[in-house]
Each structure stands twice: as C-alpha cells, then as structure tokens.
Amino acid sequence: MRHDSHLSQADLMMGIDGELSRSQQAEADRHLAQCEACSARRTELEETIRKFTAEHRSRLDPLIPPGAGSAALLRARMSQARAVHPQFRLARSLAPAALLFAVAALVLTSRMQPANPSLPNAGLTPGATRVVSREAACSLPAADEGRTVPAALARQVFARYQIAHPRPKEYEIDYLVSPALGGAEDDIRNVWPLPYRDAEWNSRVKDALEDHLRTLVCGGQIDLAAAQQEIAADWIAAYQKYFRTSRPIAAHALFVKDSPWEGLSDQ
Amino acid sequence: MSEISWPAIERLIGARAPEPATAVQNEVARLFAEYRAPLLRYLHSLGVTLPEGEDVVQEAFLALYCHLLRDRPSQSLPAWIFRVARNLATDRMRDSARDAVTPEALVVADTAASPEEQAAGESEGRRIRAVAAALPEIDRQCLYLRAEGLRYREIAEALGISLGSVALSLERSFAKLARATGKAAL
C-alpha cells in the first residue's frame, strides 16, 4: 500500500475485517479521509458484505432449533466419555482385554528366540488405546508430526528397557499403537525405544505400516480395532501381511516422518 | 493483589497437568453455546441438512472434549472445531453419497420455498445464492467461514491454506457478489 496510491480491493476488505496491521490501518484511514473514490468503493463493499451476511442468516436462522436440548445431550455424553477415559477406563472394562493382549504378545515373543530388538517386550509394552471412533480418528490430522514424547516419559522408557546410556538418534521413542490409529499417548504401556535406523525393521518401516493401516481404516477396508490389535500384537507380522513381503520395502526404510530421540539434554 | 485464574497459574508454572475434567466440560459447553449455530450454518453451506448437522456438531464437540483432555491445544479452537466438523461431514457424505444433498440443490429448494419474501429482495437473494453456490469449493468455504466470524488466520488453519490465499479468495468472491447485487439490480 503506497502512501499516495488508491487502496486495492484487498486492502479495503482487510480494513473492513480488521485484518490490517495497525500502521497499515492508519495509512488506509488517512487515504480514505481524503479520497472520495476509495470511500465510495469501501461503502459499496460493506454493502455487498452486509447483503451476503443478511441473506445467509435470514434464510437459515429461523430454522435452527433452540440449543438447550443439544447442549444437555453434549453434557451427558461428555460425562459418559469421562467415565471411560483412558485414565479410568483400564481399571474397568478394558482390563481383561489388556491382559489378553499382554498374554498373547508374551506367547508370541517367547516363541521367537532370540527376541527381535524391533519388537517391544510385551510385558512392558502391551500397547494401549484410547476410546475413539473411526470417524474421530480419521478426522484428525493423519500424521503425528511434531508429537514428541515428554522427556520424563522417555527416561522412564529407557529405564524400563534397561538401556543405561542411549546415544542420541539411535532410537525413536515410538508409540506401539500410533496416536493416529487411536493409540494412547503419555501411556507407558504404549511406548518403547525402537531402533531408529540401524535395525532392518526400524521405526521408519513401522511408520509406513501405520500410514498404510490408517488409509485402510479410514477407507473402510479394515476395522479400527482390528488394526490396533494387529499392530500391537506383532507389527512386523502385520507389515508382512499388508505389504505382502517378508522383508521391508527399500523405499520404506528411507521414509522419514517422525524424528529420532535427540538425547536427554533437556534434563 | 489481584486474583490469578487457574489457566494463568497453569501458564505461569508451565505445568503439563491436565485441567480438571469438569473445567474442560464447562469450557466445551461454553464454546458449544457460542459456535453451534455458526457450525450448523457452515455445515449447511456444505450440503449438510440441519438434523444431520446437529449430529456432526455433537461429534465434533465430543472430539474437542477428548482433544482438550489429552493435548495442549496448538491452534485456535474455533479453527480446530470448524476443521473437524467439516472432516466429519465429508466422511458422512462419502458414506451416504446417495443421500447427500449438494449445495446447489439446496439453493434451488430454498429459493422455491420463500414466498413471503418481497419480489425485489427475493430476486437479489436468489442471485446471491446462485453466485455463492457457483464459487469454487475453497472460495465458498472461505466466504462462509468468514460469514461465521472467523479471523483470516483461523480460516487458513481450518482449511489448511495460506493466509494470503484467504484474502485473495475473499476478494474474488466479493467482487463476484458485488456484480450480482449492485449492477444487476439496476
């Protein structure tokens, strides 16, 4: 916006909507005070906005029922959701399921000797989920980008896995059931240190599986609960099944989504 | 000494401790009272009927409740709730594609059902609806989100587009609407 030039249509609109910076607004006001043409354009634009808003509201507002009933329903549903929120929930309805998970995974790991470092210790990390519908899971952003495991939780994870001096970038503190698939966050039973790049079955390969499963779940091809169960029981087997291969696909090993664990510098 | 609110204390000590669930419920109920009607109108502009819209809005606010219990919100809550409501609505319409009503179809139906409108007002209203319905998808969404009082930054977040795109889109749309209301009315 130059001092002496007329205001652009965008400047006028942003001025009306209060989206100009303070100095831009002051400059626009100065110009409007002395320019009839711009003043008239501004009035015209305000009139168009007013007509559109009036048209949009007047037609629909009389048809919208009062909100008291739906507000009460929401209250009731929130209270209900709270009763089954992860913190309270495991002690109740899902404790048997979690136990089943743990037992099933223990049986699995005891059968494969030696233990694969890319699979979690099922006793420590059976996987945990939060209550979430498929619709809700799929309406959230697909990636868990920017999601970092809190430092305290990371320390706890290394302690549980008896890794005394983890090197930065050697591991990703990974969710067994990823949050994008309804996995619980901040739950020690759902996180473990997965080798970031040195192992064949590393976290990037697992990320590719997570993305693929989410696509299948949100496309309605598999059940959310089934996907959670398969990834928790043995994610490598799930990868082999869904990508129809015994080895990780080369492109997947190069897949970069989540960041590695960067060290305990923030202690 | 002035009183310090709970959120202020939380900010001051930078605690990660979740707020008590009842406080979150109250906050969600407050946002519900404020945004229910705007969301219903916005969803209607996407082709969602009012009864269906009520369901979507319930789901969206329940998701907001879970989101607030779980995470520290990283963006504007109105932008979050509009985005989630739109995604839920899109999923629903995909699931029942045969029953979906397009915005254009709604325009026709509503135009026919407004006999009490004055003749002049009606024809201008009809033109406004026709122009809005014919806008490209993103332009229409920007227009309706702005009509519900969202800031440009919130519109950008809700739709996943840049701030500059929002301003450009609104400028285009209002130029088209101005032609439909101003000159055509003469």
Side-chain angles (χ1 to χ4, degrees):
Chain A
M1 194 188 325
R2 286 213 321 276
H3 185 63
D4 52 347
S5 62
H6 287 306
L7 298 175
S8 71
Q9 209 58 23
D11 290 335
L12 286 174
M13 198 187 58
M14 290 173 76
I16 292 170
D17 286 347
E19 296 279 349
L20 290 177
S21 72
R22 195 180 293 232
S23 63
Q24 285 172 324
Q25 186 70 60
E27 206 173 317
D29 288 345
R30 263 199 305 280
H31 180 82
L32 283 166
Q34 46 162 307
C35 177
E36 253 177 64
C38 285
S39 259
R41 280 168 55 223
R42 184 188 155 107
T43 309
E44 200 181 320
L45 181 57
E46 279 174 331
E47 184 63 3
T48 305
I49 291 174
R50 191 194 60 73
K51 280 180 182 167
F52 172 74
T53 310
E55 165 59 31
H56 176 50
R57 301 236 170 144
S58 66
R59 198 163 44 106
L60 218 47
D61 282 0
L63 305 175
I64 295 179
S70 49
L73 177 63
L74 178 67
R75 282 266 184 198
R77 292 181 71 189
M78 284 194 289
S79 301
Q80 205 182 355
R82 184 190 170 182
V84 290
H85 192 260
Q87 283 147 273
F88 312 97
R89 174 189 85 143
L90 223 104
R92 300 182 187 180
S93 57
L94 282 194
L99 193 68
L100 200 69
F101 254 164
V103 171
L106 264 174
V107 170
L108 268 170
T109 43
S110 64
R111 271 193 308 184
M112 357 176 160
Q113 292 296 340
N116 187 332
S118 297
L119 286 172
N121 176 328
L124 296 174
T125 317
T129 58
R130 53 181 208 275
V131 177
V132 63
S133 67
R134 182 180 77 90
E135 286 77 5
C138 294
S139 66
L140 295 170
D144 300 328
E145 287 166 355
R147 221 183 267 274
T148 47
V149 173
L153 189 62
R155 278 196 292 278
Q156 214 184 331
V157 169
F158 284 124
R160 278 159 60 98
Y161 275 86
Q162 298 177 347
I163 299 170
H165 301 290
R167 281 181 317 189
K169 296 192 200 293
E170 192 178 353
Y171 297 98
E172 182 187 330
I173 303 293
D174 207 357
Y175 295 104
L176 181 54
V177 183
S178 70
L181 280 171
E185 294 163 75
D186 300 354
D187 187 326
I188 192 77
R189 293 159 311 183
N190 196 38
V191 279
W192 98 105
L194 173 61
Y196 187 64
R197 53 180 172 203
D198 292 336
E200 181 182 27
W201 294 98
N202 60 36
S203 67
R204 284 173 287 184
V205 174
K206 182 165 179 290
D207 287 344
L209 171 68
E210 289 164 5
D211 283 8
H212 185 60
L213 284 179
R214 191 173 188 282
T215 306
L216 294 178
V217 166
C218 297
Q221 286 154 276
I222 58 171
D223 201 50
L224 177 61
Q228 291 173 344
Q229 201 154 352
E230 284 191 273
I231 205 166
D234 184 346
W235 73 266
I236 294 176
Y239 181 100
Q240 291 167 331
K241 171 179 160 189
Y242 284 101
F243 289 115
R244 299 201 181 103
T245 169
S246 57
R247 304 256 73 94
I249 296 168
H252 289 168
L254 303 170
F255 192 92
V256 176
K257 192 178 80 172
D258 295 330
S259 323
W261 174 78
E262 295 281 2
L264 290 173
S265 54
D266 54 343
Q267 271 182 79
Chain B
M1 197 202 265
S2 65
E3 237 180 283
I4 301 178
S5 68
W6 165 249
I9 293 171
E10 222 198 300
R11 267 198 306 281
L12 282 172
I13 60 176
R16 264 195 74 87
E19 284 190 57
T22 45
V24 177
Q25 285 185 15
N26 289 339
E27 175 66 6
V28 172
R30 190 186 65 74
L31 287 165
F32 182 80
E34 190 177 345
Y35 286 103
R36 172 179 163 268
L39 280 163
L40 287 174
R41 285 193 298 259
Y42 170 63
L43 289 168
H44 190 266
S45 79
L46 300 177
V48 179
T49 62
L50 288 174
E52 261 188 312
E54 293 272 19
D55 286 353
V56 170
V57 172
Q58 284 279 329
E59 288 298 318
F61 276 93
L62 210 55
L64 174 68
Y65 174 61
C66 295
H67 171 62
L68 289 178
L69 281 184
R70 217 170 48 231
D71 311 310
R72 188 162 286 264
S74 58
Q75 56 163 233
S76 135
L77 291 183
W80 192 95
I81 194 82
F82 274 90
R83 182 167 54 85
V84 169
R86 182 181 54 129
N87 290 341
L88 288 169
T90 312
D91 284 356
R92 247 169 208 255
M93 291 196 289
R94 214 188 11 239
D95 288 350
S96 57
R98 63 197 175 283
D99 303 328
V101 185
T102 65
E104 285 77 6
L106 283 173
V107 166
V108 174
D110 288 352
T111 305
S114 55
E116 68 276 21
E117 278 184 276
Q118 287 189 346
E122 187 189 359
S123 62
E124 188 172 77
R126 189 191 302 225
R127 280 198 301 275
I128 290 175
R129 291 199 290 275
V131 168
L135 290 173
E137 180 62 21
I138 288 285
D139 286 357
R140 198 170 62 236
Q141 303 239 357
C142 285
L143 185 66
Y144 283 108
L145 287 171
R146 185 208 160 279
E148 299 311 340
L150 262 66
R151 310 290 305 172
Y152 290 10
R153 180 158 299 287
E154 293 173 327
I155 298 173
E157 277 179 20
L159 299 179
I161 60 179
S162 74
L163 201 58
S165 308
V166 174
L168 280 174
S169 160
L170 289 171
E171 187 191 344
R172 271 198 303 270
S173 301
F174 280 115
K176 288 178 186 169
L177 285 166
R179 282 197 290 276
T181 56
K183 286 183 196 126
L186 291 177

